[in-house]
Amino acid sequence: MAITAAGAGSNLDVNGIVSQLMAAERTPLALLQKRESDYQAKLSAYGTLKGALSAFQTAMQGLADPAKYNAVSASAADSSLLTATGNSNGKAVPGSYSVEVQQLAQQQKIRSEGFASTSSTVGSGTLTIQYGTYDNVLNTFTLNNAKPAQTITIEPSSNTLSGVRDAINAANAGVSATIVNDGAGNKLVLTAKDPGAASSLKITVSDDDGGNLDTTGLSALAFDPTVGGGSGKNLIQVQAAQDAKLRIDGIDIVKSSNTITDAIEGVTLSLLKTNAGSPTTLNVSPDTAAAKTAVEAFVKSYNSINQTLSNLSAYNPGAKKGAILQGDSAAFSIQRGIRSALTAMMGDSRGFTSLSQIGVTLQKDGSLAVDSAKLQASMDTGFEQIGRLFTIGGTSTDSLISYEGATDKTVAGNYAVTVTQLATRGSLSGSQAAGLTITAGINDQLNFNVDGVAASITLADGIYASADALAAEVQSKLNGLSGLTTEGISVSVSPSAGVLSIVSSRYGSASSVILTGGNGAGNLLGASPVGATGIDVAGSINGVSATGSGQMLTAAGGGSAEGLRVAIHGGALGTRGTIEFSRGYAERLSKVAEEFLATEGVIATRVEGLNASIKDLDRRQEDFSRRLETVEARYRAQFSALDAMLGSLTQTSQFLQQQLASLPTLNEK
């Protein structure tokens, strides 16, 4: 670089000279800054790619849901009578059905007598709510084994009408409470949450005033439909519980709810009103539109990530310039991974195994295109196979074996299942017939340990009509304990020749029922009840011994079936057919995206490397800047000295010139 000075001596342009010298010195710094700018641009590009991959993964996760492809549509000719929706389990059979709704289900409602105000005192104690069926002909109440008893405590501080209402609602015990003012008083109205005859209410009271059946205190809310008014039946029925009754294709059906999921397989009916004598037609058909939308969404999502990758890594011949990630190994790895998953064979041997078979083809530019006619044709001929091409799942040749899950290591394939031991549940059986007379404080207390959780109950006193009734009481009270429900534990209690057996609902070695005490133990189960701990299922998958836990068999590691989980629900010992496990494109691509986005994935690694490089460049720039400051100071000092020296020489020169000019004058003298 040429260096120029404004003049000589004191007129030397020191600043200009130093500025030009420093510009030359800063050249390496500019190169470092440009390199950092390039790295920052790549970081931004990776941010864009990461966002696009995340969106792609989310889309693939949604499209891996079998419900997207197995939907059926169902509609009634008269939608004012009922509505219908197809379930996503793929079990609905297309066809038409004649439906006649003869009676709608409804909840029971019962009310109290009137209270002067909402702040009137009711009483305190506990309310025990049980559910069952009341037979007004036989005047019996049979407990509903599926609905455990619920106990609500009314504290003295909440003993008003409104306090009782709030306590009942807060307990979420399957009953809602409201106060209705009819002009003459305030009445507490209790409504069962569930409709159906088997959800009728029975309310027993443990009143703090000591009278559990009278109409004074909290016992004013007692309701046993089998006894007389004023002696435990102190609420008044406003509306009886009843089941829904309908006829489908001439078959009479009774259900406890107006929402019916198990009358027509794969179809949910919602009854709205009756049409006795005037059946309507229900049509069920595959929802190909929904499946087609899902396939098109898959293609759109793929094309979006493909376009993003292309924009970030392609070369532009016109501009003769490559995109920011052109030649980048990580971007290439992502592009190759996605396309590899896309071109692999998926599905299973019973259906489609490639996208091209359903009209989805790969174009020259790497994008996908849909041949709508071919897609529709594939749905018309193999609708139930479409889902297996996109989702993960398994099917069993044995109806008592079900696919329950797999891991990332499970390879698609057909795996043989052999069962050498069935799972059992823990149980406890009495050694003699149970006594049917229960007396409060004498033989009403029972203590158990169920599946490792302590459980204590108090049976309602009285003379039970049968061992079935007593079994129902024990089951209702045990299953109503919060300690068990919190852990998902429940039991079933049944009699055989008057002897009660209590069986845990859990299978496997963690299942047990142990009697630990209580004054009613001997009366209920005799002196020597027999207990049995549950055992786990045992067997093999793909010829390799599998791990059993409860009814679940899990394939061992190391083989292609690793992580495959199947549930053995019963059946014989020995070879039990096969599980066909398949992975679909959406599920596979979701996993591929997940791997790229992982903390240790290729993007994170690349970003980490770039950030490290940028940090190193920042450090080098700071070091270089400090050196430049030193160089500039040196230059400035040197040229300032030069300027001073030139100024001194100029003054000497001027002095000498003046002296020489005066010499002729001296000679004349």
Side-chain angles (χ1 to χ4, degrees):
M1 179 182 293
I3 302 171
T4 61
S10 60
N11 292 324
L12 183 64
D13 185 6
V14 175
N15 288 334
I17 295 171
V18 172
S19 176
Q20 292 179 69
L21 286 171
M22 290 310 297
E25 294 284 351
R26 288 192 181 94
T27 300
L29 179 62
L31 293 176
L32 292 176
Q33 291 170 335
K34 182 179 184 307
R35 188 179 299 174
E36 179 173 346
S37 177
D38 290 343
Y39 287 166
Q40 292 287 5
K42 285 192 174 183
L43 271 183
S44 177
Y46 274 114
T48 300
L49 180 55
K50 185 177 180 181
L53 264 178
S54 294
F56 179 67
Q57 183 193 18
T58 300
M60 290 300 107
Q61 286 173 336
L63 292 168
D65 181 0
K68 299 280 186 183
Y69 310 90
N70 295 330
V72 296
S73 62
S75 61
D78 186 348
S79 58
S80 69
L81 298 171
L82 63 94
T83 61
T85 56
N87 300 338
S88 59
N89 56 14
K91 293 184 178 179
V93 178
S96 63
Y97 304 84
S98 171
V99 181
E100 178 184 346
V101 182
Q102 300 167 328
Q103 175 178 290
L104 294 177
Q106 64 183 24
Q107 304 102 323
Q108 186 183 33
K109 291 187 177 185
I110 49 180
R111 68 164 177 84
S112 69
E113 297 290 354
F115 288 82
S117 72
T118 58
S119 60
S120 297
T121 299
V122 178
S124 59
T126 59
L127 302 171
T128 298
I129 301 174
Q130 291 176 291
Y131 307 88
T133 303
Y134 175 63
D135 187 326
N136 60 5
V137 176
L138 300 175
N139 192 34
T140 58
F141 188 87
T142 303
L143 289 175
N144 182 344
N145 289 333
K147 298 174 77 72
Q150 302 290 323
T151 299
I152 303 170
T153 300
I154 308 298
E155 302 289 352
S157 59
S158 305
N159 65 357
T160 62
L161 187 63
S162 60
V164 172
R165 174 202 59 194
D166 294 343
I168 292 174
N169 288 334
N172 192 25
V175 174
S176 63
T178 57
I179 297 174
V180 176
N181 187 313
D182 63 0
N186 296 278
K187 298 174 179 175
L188 187 70
V189 179
L190 304 180
T191 303
K193 177 184 177 182
D194 296 326
S199 291
S200 296
L201 301 173
K202 177 182 179 181
I203 303 174
T204 54
V205 177
S206 177
D207 197 334
D208 284 348
D209 69 7
N212 297 332
L213 302 177
D214 58 29
T215 58
T216 301
L218 191 63
S219 54
L221 304 183
F223 184 75
D224 180 349
T226 66
V227 302
S231 57
K233 183 182 178 182
N234 303 330
L235 295 176
I236 300 168
Q237 179 169 278
V238 177
Q239 174 178 290
Q242 69 178 29
D243 292 324
K245 295 180 180 179
L246 64 161
R247 179 174 293 166
I248 298 177
D249 287 347
I251 302 172
D252 289 327
I253 297 171
V254 177
K255 297 293 180 181
S256 62
S257 172
N258 293 319
T259 300
I260 301 170
T261 61
D262 56 355
I264 301 175
E265 192 170 27
V267 177
T268 296
L269 302 175
S270 296
L271 309 183
L272 302 175
K273 65 181 183 181
T274 60
N275 63 335
S278 303
T280 189
T281 300
L282 175 70
N283 290 309
V284 178
S285 60
D287 191 351
T288 57
K292 184 179 179 182
T293 298
V295 174
E296 291 172 342
F298 171 85
V299 170
K300 183 178 178 181
S301 296
Y302 173 80
N303 286 344
S304 177
I305 189 64
N306 179 66
Q307 187 63 54
T308 299
L309 281 164
S310 178
N311 292 342
L312 293 174
S313 61
Y315 177 75
N316 186 333
K320 296 182 178 180
K321 183 179 180 182
I324 187 66
L325 295 182
Q326 189 201 14
D328 185 277
S329 60
F332 178 71
S333 174
I334 293 171
Q335 196 167 42
R336 184 178 56 186
I338 291 176
R339 289 185 178 174
S340 176
L342 192 72
T343 54
M345 301 293 281
M346 297 289 179
D348 58 45
S349 61
R350 294 176 301 122
F352 302 119
T353 57
S354 70
L355 290 172
S356 61
Q357 290 176 316
I358 64 169
V360 178
T361 54
L362 193 63
Q363 307 301 291
K364 288 183 179 179
D365 63 356
S367 66
L368 291 175
V370 180
D371 182 336
S372 297
K374 190 171 183 179
L375 175 59
Q376 185 61 53
S378 66
M379 290 185 175
D380 292 342
T381 58
F383 178 74
E384 74 284 357
Q385 302 170 16
I386 298 292
R388 291 202 292 271
L389 193 57
F390 291 91
T391 64
I392 186 172
T395 55
S396 171
T397 58
D398 189 316
S399 62
L400 293 177
I401 297 178
S402 62
Y403 164 79
E404 297 296 329
T407 69
D408 292 345
K409 295 182 179 179
T410 312
V411 179
N414 207 12
Y415 301 109
V417 178
T418 299
V419 178
T420 56
Q421 174 178 280
L422 292 173
T424 63
R425 297 178 289 176
S427 64
L428 180 68
S429 298
S431 58
Q432 65 182 45
L436 301 182
T437 300
I438 303 298
T439 305
I442 302 299
N443 64 352
D444 59 342
Q445 300 287 326
L446 293 159
N447 303 324
F448 298 95
N449 188 299
V450 183
D451 298 350
V453 177
S456 297
I457 59 174
T458 301
L459 302 179
D461 62 350
I463 301 173
Y464 287 79
S466 64
D468 287 299
L470 181 58
E473 170 71 3
V474 175
Q475 177 172 315
S476 174
K477 292 292 176 65
L478 275 174
N479 289 343
L481 293 174
S482 60
L484 297 187
T485 56
T486 300
E487 298 296 328
I489 298 170
S490 63
V491 300
S492 59
V493 184
S494 60
S496 175
V499 178
L500 300 190
S501 291
I502 305 173
V503 182
S504 168
S505 61
R506 177 175 295 178
Y507 281 88
S509 54
S511 174
S512 63
V513 181
I514 301 169
L515 180 67
T516 58
N519 59 24
N523 178 67
L524 189 78
L525 296 165
S528 305
V530 178
T533 301
I535 58 176
D536 297 314
V537 67
S540 64
I541 298 177
N542 202 28
V544 179
S545 180
T547 301
S549 177
Q551 292 182 298
M552 198 73 67
L553 265 184
T554 302
S560 56
E562 179 176 352
L564 180 65
R565 300 191 305 279
V566 297
I568 312 299
H569 302 286
L573 303 181
T575 56
R576 294 287 298 274
T578 59
I579 287 282
E580 184 152 18
F581 172 70
S582 64
R583 290 187 181 278
Y585 286 104
E587 189 275 341
R588 184 58 193 150
L589 285 168
S590 170
K591 294 297 182 186
V592 169
E594 181 181 337
E595 292 168 4
F596 288 136
L597 291 168
T599 305
E600 303 297 329
V602 64
I603 291 181
T605 301
R606 194 75 177 101
V607 167
E608 183 181 1
L610 286 171
N611 279 325
S613 297
I614 290 172
K615 186 176 180 180
D616 180 62
L617 286 173
D618 286 341
R619 181 187 56 76
R620 293 170 61 185
Q621 289 178 70
E622 290 174 2
D623 291 344
F624 200 86
S625 295
R626 283 194 292 272
R627 287 199 299 271
L628 287 177
E629 291 174 359
T630 302
V631 171
E632 182 175 1
R634 187 177 72 247
Y635 280 154
R636 196 168 294 284
Q638 289 173 341
F639 281 97
S640 293
L642 176 62
D643 182 47
M645 182 180 69
L646 288 174
S648 176
L649 290 174
T650 299
Q651 289 177 359
T652 301
S653 174
Q654 289 174 347
F655 173 75
L656 289 175
Q657 287 177 357
Q658 289 173 357
Q659 293 301 314
L660 289 174
S662 64
L663 288 177
T665 305
L666 292 174
N667 290 334
E668 291 176 357
K669 290 178 179 179

